[in-house]
Amino acid sequence: MDPLLLARLQFATTTSIHFLFVLVTLGLVTVLVYLQTAWMITKKPVYERLTRFWGTLYLINYVLGIATGLVMEFQFGLNWSGLSHYAGNVFGAPLAMETLVAFFLESTFLGMWIFGWHRLRRGVHLALLWGVAITAYASAFWVMVANSFLQHPVGYEMRDGIAHLTDFGALLRNQSFGMAFGHVTFAALTVGGFLVAGISAWHLIRRTADYGLFRKSLRIGVVTASIGTVMVTGFGFAQFGYLGAIQPTKFGDEYDKMAAATDFAARLGGSPADYLPPEWIGAPLGFMIIIGNLLGLVVFLLPLFFRDWIIRLRAPLYILLFAVPLPFVAAIFGWLFREVGRQPWVVYGLLKTSDAVSPVSGGTMLASFLGFTALLLTLAVTNWYLMARYAHTGAADPSLGRQHGSPVPDPEPRPEPVLAA
């Protein structure tokens, strides 16, 4: 079996699954910051209960997401030793920063936030959650800095066939970084908003006892999803302005693609076809744009969800419920276009994917692929099962932040049923 193909399949599987965890983490922590800040300012118990409910879902996703991240880190060393040898001096610097931020600062703040309920002053406790959110976005920041070097290598010089970092500021000013980072962060906001709105819609459809609670979180989710959708679309289209210049084989017109591929072939050998990405790479981009336009309809429906009679009808709620998977699918399509679109390069224009793979046998790579994929799928299924199970139980008495011996809050009265057309 081809070790390169197996290594690429493993990388695609690992990063795709981990990316979905990251999107939920960033999206939910943003909603949590708003909820706990609102609780701090207004002193309304509804915001405390919402913080505890959505905070528990956030923690489930965070814990299992960390495990998928560790699996992804392992595969870099096991499968892509050529990349580490060639560009580790550059690529490794922002990844080291990400590790310090995510595994030290973010986890420390989060642990103190979890166990600080009713032990710390409310302002200190809120500051810890802000710290969790800021370090979460900082972690995404450094990952995108590293990825942008692979897309458009800058700030380096070659010595004895190895790239060495010479200008750290150039990594931060990378043309491939700014808009892509904004695109990813607002994609996370879109995912978090639709997840909150969808789960809330499910409880409103079922007419659960916490009707008023989930009516409020539904509106928060819809507003968050609307902001995220508008901004992620803007940052996405903004990248079209420079992609053709820095990666002509991915996003240039037919003449630019062939000219760039011919230049690579003349310098490095082979035929121009060897330096062009797969012909199907435009399909994920097209599907992502279609899904983005569909999700954008929520922006036009936003005012309706602030009218109680609309919320009492089931049809709009089902729309939000069935829309939950769409931003996840769009994110995967966007990742495929960004990563597969630069093939056959792992560092665009410098290091080919075939030269970056580790020199191991096909059998070893197959065993690695099957083992890691089974582990990742187990973590993913466990995560979604636990989240779905907890979300289904409702917010009558969230375990996060519960004081020992405290009474379970009385549920709000159920609304009178309204016949839907």
Side-chain angles (χ1 to χ4, degrees):
M1 302 199 62
D2 185 5
L4 175 59
L5 176 61
L6 292 171
R8 291 182 61 188
L9 288 175
Q10 182 174 336
F11 182 83
T13 304
T14 304
T15 51
S16 296
I17 294 175
H18 179 65
F19 187 37
L20 298 182
F21 281 87
V22 172
L23 292 174
V24 175
T25 297
L26 290 176
L28 284 185
V29 78
T30 306
V31 174
L32 283 176
V33 165
Y34 168 77
L35 291 173
Q36 188 163 346
T37 302
W39 174 38
M40 177 74 181
I41 295 173
T42 66
K43 308 295 191 299
K44 293 182 178 179
V46 62
Y47 288 113
E48 178 190 5
R49 292 181 62 198
L50 286 174
T51 302
R52 292 167 58 198
F53 174 76
W54 295 110
T56 303
L57 290 174
Y58 166 77
L59 292 176
I60 293 171
N61 183 81
Y62 181 90
V63 170
L64 293 169
I66 287 291
T68 62
L70 292 174
V71 174
M72 188 177 69
E73 293 290 341
F74 279 125
Q75 66 139 15
F76 273 114
L78 294 173
N79 295 353
W80 302 102
S81 59
L83 172 62
S84 300
H85 176 74
Y86 183 89
N89 294 319
V90 183
F91 181 71
L95 287 185
M97 295 294 295
E98 189 273 337
T99 300
L100 290 173
V101 169
F103 289 96
F104 289 93
L105 286 177
E106 184 182 357
S107 58
T108 299
F109 287 144
L110 182 60
M112 295 174 67
W113 182 75
I114 294 171
F115 298 105
W117 285 85
H118 311 297
R119 293 181 175 89
L120 299 173
R121 294 179 181 272
R122 292 176 63 180
V124 174
H125 193 243
L126 174 61
L128 289 172
L129 183 60
W130 274 91
V132 172
I134 292 171
T135 50
Y137 279 96
S139 177
F141 176 92
W142 290 116
V143 168
M144 291 305 299
V145 168
N147 181 267
S148 295
F149 172 79
L150 303 182
Q151 305 288 337
H152 181 51
V154 295
Y156 72 97
E157 68 176 16
M158 301 301 300
R159 303 175 196 163
D160 300 324
I162 297 176
H164 291 267
L165 181 63
T166 58
D167 186 356
F168 190 78
L171 296 181
L172 305 182
R173 298 189 301 271
N174 193 337
Q175 192 175 13
S176 178
F177 166 64
M179 293 298 174
F181 175 65
H183 188 62
V184 168
T185 54
F186 282 105
L189 204 64
T190 304
V191 166
F194 274 103
L195 186 63
V196 170
I199 294 175
S200 301
W202 167 247
H203 283 279
L204 296 179
I205 290 170
R206 296 171 58 228
R207 308 299 194 208
T208 58
D210 291 309
Y211 185 90
L213 191 79
F214 286 107
R215 179 178 56 189
K216 180 173 288 293
S217 67
L218 173 84
R219 292 165 175 170
I220 293 171
V222 171
V223 171
T224 303
S226 298
I227 295 173
T229 301
V230 171
M231 297 303 295
V232 74
T233 303
F235 276 104
F237 282 114
Q239 295 179 71
F240 293 174
Y242 63 81
L243 272 179
I246 65 175
Q247 290 187 356
T249 55
K250 175 196 285 187
F251 202 70
D253 56 30
E254 292 304 317
Y255 175 81
D256 291 336
K257 288 181 180 180
M258 187 53 63
T262 302
D263 179 65
F264 285 138
R267 290 190 289 112
L268 303 172
S271 67
D274 297 332
Y275 298 92
L276 292 173
E279 294 183 359
W280 54 263
I281 195 59
L285 176 63
F287 284 122
M288 181 181 64
I289 293 174
I290 292 173
I291 293 174
N293 291 333
L294 288 176
L295 297 179
L297 295 176
V298 176
V299 179
F300 297 99
L301 298 176
L302 176 62
L304 298 179
F305 290 101
F306 284 83
R307 299 181 179 274
D308 288 339
W309 67 272
I310 287 290
I311 294 179
R312 292 176 185 273
L313 299 177
R314 283 183 167 84
L317 299 177
Y318 275 114
I319 292 176
L320 290 178
L321 181 62
F322 293 137
V324 170
L326 294 181
F328 290 96
V329 175
I332 294 299
F333 282 144
W335 179 88
L336 285 174
F337 177 74
R338 182 172 176 86
E339 299 302 309
V340 181
R342 75 170 184 271
Q343 292 304 310
W345 304 102
V346 65
V347 183
Y348 191 83
L350 295 181
L351 180 65
K352 295 177 70 173
T353 308
S354 57
D355 297 326
V357 69
S358 298
V360 298
S361 65
T364 301
M365 195 67 75
L366 177 61
S368 172
F369 171 64
L370 294 177
F372 279 104
T373 300
L375 177 59
L376 282 167
L377 290 177
T378 300
L379 291 172
V381 171
T382 301
N383 178 70
W384 292 112
Y385 170 76
L386 292 176
M387 290 187 69
R389 181 177 179 180
Y390 181 81
H392 179 77
T393 61
D397 186 24
S399 56
L400 178 65
R402 182 198 302 162
Q403 288 181 298
H404 179 69
S406 60
V408 178
D410 293 329
E412 299 184 30
R414 296 174 182 265
E416 292 296 326
V418 176
L419 296 177

